[in-house]
């Protein structure tokens, strides 16, 4: 990425390249979003990666329309005056479709954060016509470009060559169909609002419009392809792609819009993922598919019954095709769909009669505030509302974080806790809804999607066990990221409609180096008695890593089944007594295996407690697997340059413990940079420790040595981990682009200049420094 100043536009422009194509965008959009990189480009849009400078540089994605070069082949081509605004209206409809889906609680879609207008340098020009003359676009075109801001996803478009698809194409296809069917079937459900009937049909599903995230989720990333009907009449147009298009929509016939259209496009998309061959089109416009490869693979995997299922889904006659997504999805698992009439969906929510105004836009129910104040509990959650129009559907969905005014010491602890927690939230490290805005008095307002649910009231044993397994997996991922939790309450873990848990009360989650907040004796006054803290933290101010998270997983199950009884025992300090928590578990109507696991998780002695992995092994009736060996070539680099800190003793043993936890068995090559060659005995010690040294001088500066070491590690593909132990010199080094090449970075230094990089874990080095005593010259006194 390069930067240049365009004097004609009076703006600094970022120039990016992707697959040989050049893109220009303002470096700072709307005086808020700072462009960092480009994620993808294709079809009708290009997606940039940016930082939200008003939310601690949180990563976001920004989508802009993509226009064909043919629009600028002629200087006076009036066609672009119609085509470009038409594309922008499609982006506006996409923003509306996202908000509509989000308000109705439809999962696996992007979270719409903002829709802004700014200039488009690519439209500005200069352009060259067919005669070789240069010209610039009309001002009304390049000055009013729409930019859609959505939440950040790590991953990429679903492609047949993806390793997960190639290793198990039919298994991934079933997962893909189930995920997409869950999204589109909810969009297909008609709903009423304001006396009008709304219907949504996607029409243009293809692998390029779907994202596979790094956490193995399917996300429908392109929402601008929806055809929307209001009271039976089409609003806007119908978007299709040759080869994927349902036959009945070949000429954009709105009368044929139905869920069967999306069944056809889904089947074609899955066909491409399984066979690796994109659909073709014959001279009559019919879709051509590689049936031979599909049937061969289906027979090889003993899925012969898939062949007639796909032939039904791809039938040219929509009346003979599966009429709903559920029918298609269930047919692949040989399940039957129960036929029942579904009433039109209506979205409504009550508003407070006399709302308490939290800000110009946000209001709260006064009764909620009075109840919280009367309880004496810190006010962290206030259900708040802000009227939005999702296709004329009034909807409110948010929570606000506030607090009563405690004594100054407790207030300072609360503010520090929230400040650090918000940094994790905005760096996409916590598992909770997107932070939208911060209003007056430092209140943090979160939009809560409608698909968030509280604890499940159903008490079936298999549901509880499934929820516990997902919680254990979630906590294992937290443990790998070196996160710790202050405690857990009834609302800490929430689930979406797919049953996936995430941490909603994100202020209870802290990174390892920030966890001393959680050990402060005053913390219980900040979080309140509704938060249950592990016994080893309460009694010994000690965190037992995976064992403490295991205890909180067990508490989560108790709060899901018997919250009142659990809180009573905790307030009476009896939850750690063997007879009390055993009686609580034994009286539950769950399986004996689940009871044994809970008793193992709730043991107050960490050394006697089940770990997360051990609990999973018992629940799944399988032996505990040994940790896999690191893959060949997995390596990293450690660079130390601390000449300015020679007056201090650095606890390298403690630094090594942190590095070892993160690196596992990765091969880390260690380097130390000195001003002069070391004495012979020191050089011998370094050699024994496997540390290479280099001295900076006239021929090679310290900065150049560091750059060369990092560049060599990248060239050798030793990019699993980079460890930097340094002094204030780090501020003068241009390492941002180099550190992007590494999977993880650990930084020990007085400052952190890399806050924009989410994969950098920072530890203030002053926590590991002890000032050396000054030497007293002369003879030491004789001992008496």
């Amino acid at each position: 990425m390069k930067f240049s100043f365009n004097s004609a536009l009076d703006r600094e422009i970022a120039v990016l390249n992707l697959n040989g194509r050049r893109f220009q965008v303002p470096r700072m959009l709307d005086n808020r979003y700072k462009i960092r990189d480009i994620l993808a480009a294709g079809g009708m849009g290009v997606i940039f990666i940016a930082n939200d400078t008003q939310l601690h540089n949180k990563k976001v994605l920004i989508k802009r329309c993509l226009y064909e070069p043919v629009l600028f082949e002629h200087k006076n081509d009036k066609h672009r005056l119609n085509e470009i605004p038409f594309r922008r209206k499609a982006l506006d409809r996409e923003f509306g479709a996202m908000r509509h889906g989000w308000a109705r609680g439809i999962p696996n879609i992007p979270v719409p954060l903002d829709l802004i207008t700014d200039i488009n340098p690519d439209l500005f020009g200069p352009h060259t016509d067919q005669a070789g003359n240069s010209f610039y676009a009309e001002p009304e075109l390049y000055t009013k470009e729409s930019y859609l801001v959505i939440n950040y996803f790590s991953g990429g478009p679903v492609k047949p060559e993806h390793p997960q698809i190639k290793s198990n194409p039919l298994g991934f296809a079933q997962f893909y169909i189930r995920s997409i069917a869950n999204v589109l079937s909810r969009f297909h459900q008609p709903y009423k609002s304001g006396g009008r009937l709304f219907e949504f049909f996607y029409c243009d599903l293809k692998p390029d419009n779907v994202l596979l995230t790094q956490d193995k989720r399917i996300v429908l990333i392109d929402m601008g392809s929806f055809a929307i009907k209001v009271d039976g009449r089409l609003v806007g147009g119908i978007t299709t792609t040759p080869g994927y298009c349902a036959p009945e929509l070949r000429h954009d016939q709105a009368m044929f819009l139905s869920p069967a259209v999306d069944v056809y496009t889904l089947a074609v998309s899955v066909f491409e993922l399984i066979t690796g061959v994109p659909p073709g089109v014959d001279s009559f416009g019919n879709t051509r598919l590689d049936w031979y490869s599909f049937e061969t693979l289906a027979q090889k995997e003993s899925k012969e019954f898939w062949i007639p299922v796909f032939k039904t889904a791809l039938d040219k006659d929509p009346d003979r095709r599966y009429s709903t997504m559920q029918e298609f999805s269930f047919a692949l698992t040989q399940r039957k769909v129960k036929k029942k009439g579904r009433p039109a969906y209506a979205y409504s929510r009550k508003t407070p009669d006399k709302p308490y105004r939290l800000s110009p836009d946000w209001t709260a129910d006064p009764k909620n505030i009075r109840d919280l104040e009367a309880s004496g509990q810190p006010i962290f959650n206030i259900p708040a509302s802000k009227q939005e129009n999702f296709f004329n559907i009034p909807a409110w969905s948010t929570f606000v974080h506030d607090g009563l005014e405690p004594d100054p010491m407790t207030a300072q602890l609360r503010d520090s806790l929230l400040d650090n927690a918000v940094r994790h939230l905005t760096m996409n490290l916590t598992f909770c809804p997107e932070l939208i805005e911060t209003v007056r008095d430092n209140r943090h307002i979160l939009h809560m999607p409608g698909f968030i649910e509280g604890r499940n009231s159903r008490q079936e044993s298999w549901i509880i066990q499934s929820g516990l397994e997902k919680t254990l997996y979630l906590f294992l991922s937290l443990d790998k990221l070196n996160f710790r939790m202050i405690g857990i309450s009834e609302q800490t873990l929430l689930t979406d409609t797919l049953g996936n848990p995430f941490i909603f009360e994100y202020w209870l989650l802290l990174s390892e180096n920030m966890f001393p907040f959680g050990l402060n004796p005053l913390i219980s006054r900040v979080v309140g008695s509704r938060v249950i803290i592990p016994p080893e933290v309460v009694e010994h101010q000690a965190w037992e890593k995976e064992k403490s998270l295991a205890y909180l997983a067990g508490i989560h199950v108790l709060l899901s089944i018997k919250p009142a009884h659990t809180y009573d025992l905790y307030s009476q300090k009896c939850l750690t007594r063997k007879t009390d928590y055993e009686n609580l578990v034994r009286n539950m109507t769950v399986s004996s295996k689940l009871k044994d696991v809970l008793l193992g998780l709730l043991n107050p002695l960490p050394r006697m407690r089940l770990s997360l992995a051990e609990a999973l092994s018992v629940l799944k009736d399988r032996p505990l697997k040994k940790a896999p060996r690191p893959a060949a070539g997995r390596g990293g680099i450690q660079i130390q340059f601390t000449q300015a800190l020679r007056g201090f003793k650095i606890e390298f043993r403690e630094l090594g413990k942190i590095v070892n936890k993160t690196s596992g068995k990765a091969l880390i090559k260690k380097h130390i940079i000195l001003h002069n060659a070391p004495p012979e005995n020191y050089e011998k010690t370094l050699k024994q420790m496997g540390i290479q040294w280099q001295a900076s001088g006239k021929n090679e500066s310290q900065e150049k040595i560091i750059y060369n070491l990092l560049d060599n590690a990248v060239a050798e593909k030793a990019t699993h981990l980079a460890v930097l132990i340094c002094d204030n010199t780090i501020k003068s080094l241009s390492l941002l682009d180099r550190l992007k090449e590494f999977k993880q970075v650990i930084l020990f230094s007085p400052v952190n200049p890399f806050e924009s990089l989410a994969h950098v874990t920072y530890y203030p080095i002053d926590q590991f420094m002890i000032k050396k005593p000054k030497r007293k010259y002369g003879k030491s006194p004789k001992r008496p």
Side-chain angles (χ1 to χ4, degrees):
M1 181 171 64
K2 297 181 180 179
F3 303 104
S4 63
F5 186 82
N6 190 316
S7 56
L9 296 174
D10 194 27
R11 294 285 292 276
E12 188 176 11
I13 305 300
V15 182
L16 307 102
N17 291 279
L18 182 67
N19 300 328
R21 188 166 181 179
R22 182 171 175 265
F23 298 93
Q24 296 182 92
V25 63
R27 186 179 185 184
M28 185 72 75
L29 284 168
D30 198 37
N31 293 321
R32 176 171 182 171
Y33 302 104
K34 192 172 185 179
I35 299 298
R36 288 297 183 189
D37 207 342
I38 187 169
L39 178 69
M44 298 176 64
V46 54
I47 300 177
F48 301 100
I49 302 173
N51 293 123
D52 187 344
T53 58
Q54 294 185 20
L55 287 177
H56 300 280
N57 289 321
K58 178 180 178 62
K59 273 188 179 180
V60 295
L61 297 180
I62 299 181
K63 184 176 181 179
R64 187 183 77 186
C65 292
L66 197 58
Y67 309 103
E68 293 88 350
V70 69
L71 292 173
F72 299 94
E73 289 183 353
H74 303 282
K75 180 179 181 180
N76 297 318
D77 187 354
K78 301 300 181 182
H79 178 60
R80 62 173 170 266
L81 295 176
N82 297 323
E83 179 65 19
I84 291 176
F86 176 78
R87 292 284 182 90
R88 289 173 179 166
K89 286 182 180 178
L91 194 68
D92 294 343
R93 286 199 306 272
E94 180 172 5
F95 181 60
M98 286 182 184
R99 298 173 77 190
H100 149 81
W102 200 51
R104 286 183 58 192
I106 300 176
N108 294 65
I109 62 173
V111 178
L113 302 179
D114 206 352
L115 183 64
I116 60 175
T117 302
D118 211 319
I119 63 171
N120 186 342
D122 282 333
L123 289 185
F124 172 69
H127 306 284
T128 304
D129 62 16
Q130 290 184 334
N133 300 316
S134 296
F135 68 95
Y136 292 89
E138 296 81 357
E140 61 267 26
L141 295 184
Y142 69 79
T143 58
K144 298 180 180 179
E145 186 64 59
S146 296
Y147 292 86
L148 173 58
V149 185
I150 61 176
N151 62 317
Y152 177 76
F153 290 109
S154 56
V158 176
K159 297 290 185 182
E161 57 270 18
H162 193 284
Q164 187 174 350
I165 302 176
K166 292 178 70 175
S167 63
N168 185 12
L170 295 186
F172 181 85
Q174 193 163 341
F175 164 69
Y176 180 89
I177 291 172
R178 187 171 63 248
S179 301
I180 296 298
N182 183 49
V183 175
L184 293 185
S185 62
R186 294 166 186 261
F187 271 107
H188 290 159
Q189 186 177 352
Y191 67 93
K192 291 181 178 179
S193 176
R196 308 175 74 183
L197 183 68
F198 292 81
E199 298 172 273
F200 279 71
F201 308 98
Y202 194 74
C203 302
D204 195 32
L205 184 66
K206 51 191 174 184
D208 286 343
N209 292 349
V210 178
L211 196 75
L212 178 61
T213 67
Q214 288 184 353
D215 57 347
K216 304 299 185 294
R217 287 192 300 130
I218 293 292
V219 178
L220 191 61
I221 193 73
D222 189 344
M223 306 284 289
S225 300
F226 275 106
I228 307 167
K229 294 176 74 174
V230 181
D231 292 334
R233 298 183 63 182
L234 183 66
V235 178
I238 299 175
T239 303
T240 59
T241 301
Y244 300 91
C245 175
E248 62 269 26
L249 291 186
R250 198 172 298 158
H251 302 291
D252 296 341
Q253 304 98 319
M255 68 183 73
F256 295 122
L257 284 172
S258 73
V261 167
D262 290 332
V263 170
Y264 186 92
T265 56
L266 176 57
V268 174
S269 301
V270 173
F271 223 95
E272 179 181 348
L273 296 178
I274 292 175
T275 63
V277 180
V281 181
D282 62 18
S283 57
F284 299 101
N286 298 316
T287 301
R288 292 185 303 179
L289 300 170
D290 187 1
W291 278 100
Y292 175 78
S293 299
F294 177 79
E295 291 176 0
T296 303
L297 186 58
Q299 292 169 357
K300 181 181 177 182
E301 298 292 334
S302 301
K303 297 278 189 181
E304 294 88 348
F305 70 94
W306 276 33
I307 299 172
V309 169
F310 270 83
K311 286 186 176 179
T312 303
L314 292 165
D315 199 300
K316 293 181 180 180
D317 187 349
D319 292 333
R320 294 198 299 263
R321 206 180 297 152
Y322 294 115
S323 60
T324 66
M325 285 289 182
Q326 290 96 332
E327 288 183 10
F328 180 31
S329 179
F330 283 14
L332 295 174
T333 56
Q334 297 182 321
R335 295 169 61 191
K336 292 183 179 180
V337 180
K338 294 182 179 179
K339 298 284 185 179
K340 59 180 181 179
R342 290 189 176 183
Y345 176 83
Y347 195 96
S348 63
R349 189 161 178 174
K350 294 180 179 179
T351 59
D353 295 332
K354 295 181 180 180
Y356 174 82
R357 191 158 295 280
L358 296 166
S359 76
D361 297 324
W362 295 91
T363 59
D365 188 342
K367 183 178 182 302
N368 287 337
I369 296 178
R370 287 195 301 269
D371 291 345
L372 288 167
E373 289 177 342
S375 69
Q377 290 288 325
I379 301 180
F380 272 112
N381 278 353
I382 301 176
S385 61
K386 174 184 177 182
Q387 184 164 1
E388 300 275 2
N389 286 323
F390 302 91
F391 289 94
N392 297 322
I393 307 174
W396 300 261
S397 190
T398 188
F399 268 64
V400 61
H401 304 294
D402 203 343
L404 299 171
E405 289 302 324
D407 59 87
M409 188 175 296
T410 308
Q412 184 178 3
L413 180 64
R414 177 203 61 191
D415 294 341
S416 300
L417 181 67
L418 281 176
D419 182 63
N420 287 308
V422 169
R423 288 182 179 275
H424 292 316
L425 170 70
T426 57
M427 295 295 286
N428 298 286
L429 291 178
T430 49
F431 308 85
C432 57
E434 295 293 328
L435 181 67
I436 300 297
E437 61 182 301
T438 303
V439 296
R440 66 183 185 188
D441 301 329
N442 203 32
R443 290 190 178 102
H444 305 142
I445 292 192
L446 287 158
H447 277 263
M448 272 189 62
F451 57 81
I452 294 176
E453 297 177 348
R455 59 187 178 86
N456 201 321
S457 59
R458 294 177 295 176
Q459 306 253 332
E460 290 89 342
S461 181
W462 68 271
I463 293 177
I464 297 169
Q465 180 171 327
S466 175
L468 177 57
E469 289 177 9
K470 291 179 179 179
T471 301
L472 293 171
Y473 279 120
L474 173 62
F475 283 2
L476 274 172
S477 64
L478 290 180
D479 187 61
K480 289 179 181 178
L481 292 170
N482 291 322
F483 275 92
R484 299 176 176 183
M485 291 184 69
I486 293 173
I488 195 167
S489 79
E490 196 176 354
Q491 294 295 322
T492 300
L493 287 184
L494 300 180
T495 59
D496 60 21
T497 50
L498 300 179
N500 298 318
F502 62 92
I503 295 176
F504 172 61
E505 295 178 318
Y506 63 92
W507 57 86
L508 296 177
L509 188 66
L510 295 174
S511 59
E512 187 177 29
N513 63 315
M514 294 177 179
F515 194 72
F517 286 120
L519 303 178
N520 193 311
L522 294 176
I523 198 69
S524 59
R525 293 169 61 181
V526 175
V527 299
S529 61
R530 303 291 291 177
V531 176
I532 297 178
I533 303 173
E536 56 269 22
V537 176
V538 174
E539 297 174 7
H540 308 293
Q541 285 74 52
W543 179 265
E544 295 293 337
K545 200 159 173 59
E546 190 183 339
K547 295 293 186 76
S548 295
L549 283 172
Y551 181 82
L552 295 178
I555 293 294
H556 171 63
V557 176
L558 297 187
L559 292 175
S560 300
I561 303 174
K562 295 188 175 182
H565 197 170
T566 305
Y567 279 127
D568 287 342
L569 290 178
Y570 183 67
S571 62
Q572 297 166 14
K573 298 184 179 180
C574 297
L575 193 56
T576 55
R577 289 199 331 197
K578 184 177 176 64
T579 54
D580 289 299
Y581 75 77
E582 276 195 354
N583 288 335
L584 180 61
V585 173
R586 296 296 182 196
N587 291 328
M588 291 181 178
T589 55
V590 296
S591 65
S592 57
K593 179 173 68 174
L594 186 55
K595 289 180 181 179
D596 292 339
V597 171
L598 286 175
L599 291 175
L601 293 173
L602 295 170
N603 195 307
L605 299 176
R607 67 178 183 275
M608 303 294 292
R609 192 181 302 156
L610 286 177
S611 67
L612 298 172
E614 289 169 345
L616 275 170
S617 298
V618 176
L619 289 174
K620 291 183 171 292
D621 297 316
R622 64 188 184 193
L624 189 63
K625 292 184 178 179
K626 295 182 179 179
R629 294 183 178 181
R634 184 185 180 197
I637 187 171
Q638 176 175 312
I639 304 175
Q640 175 189 334
F641 50 105
T642 55
Q643 292 299 310
L645 305 177
R646 283 176 293 177
F648 296 87
K649 177 186 176 184
I650 300 177
E651 297 287 346
F652 287 104
R653 186 184 298 273
E654 298 301 318
L655 302 187
K657 290 180 181 178
I658 295 174
V659 174
N660 291 336
K661 289 177 185 177
T662 306
S663 64
K665 296 183 179 179
L667 179 62
I668 307 296
K669 293 184 179 180
K670 299 181 180 180
H671 301 266
I672 184 171
I673 301 174
L674 307 169
H675 278 308
N676 302 301
E680 185 177 350
N681 60 342
Y682 184 39
E683 183 180 2
K684 185 177 180 181
T685 302
L686 292 176
K687 189 174 182 181
Q688 291 174 348
M689 297 173 65
I691 300 177
Q692 303 178 40
W693 66 270
Q694 294 188 52
S696 59
K698 296 181 180 179
N699 297 329
E700 200 168 23
S701 65
Q702 186 182 55
E703 291 84 355
K704 189 175 181 182
I705 294 173
I706 296 168
Y707 297 153
N708 290 338
L709 289 174
L710 291 174
D711 290 341
N712 291 339
V714 173
E716 296 171 1
K717 296 183 178 180
T719 55
H720 178 72
L721 177 67
V723 182
L724 300 178
I725 306 172
C726 49
D727 51 35
N728 274 314
T729 309
I730 193 72
K731 293 190 294 186
S732 62
L733 301 181
S734 302
L735 300 179
L736 200 64
D737 290 336
R738 288 176 170 85
L739 295 182
K740 285 181 181 179
E741 302 292 332
F742 290 85
K743 184 178 179 182
Q744 289 178 286
V745 178
I746 299 179
L747 174 64
F748 300 96
S749 71
V751 293
N752 178 19
F754 311 120
E755 290 186 350
S756 61
L757 297 180
H759 66 296
V760 174
T761 304
Y762 169 62
Y763 297 90
I765 198 170
D766 55 7
Q767 297 181 4
F768 308 94
M769 291 165 35
I770 302 174
K771 192 170 182 63
K772 295 179 180 178
K774 292 183 178 180
R775 289 186 177 181
K776 295 182 180 180
Y777 296 95
K779 294 182 179 180
S780 57
K782 294 182 179 181
R783 292 182 179 180

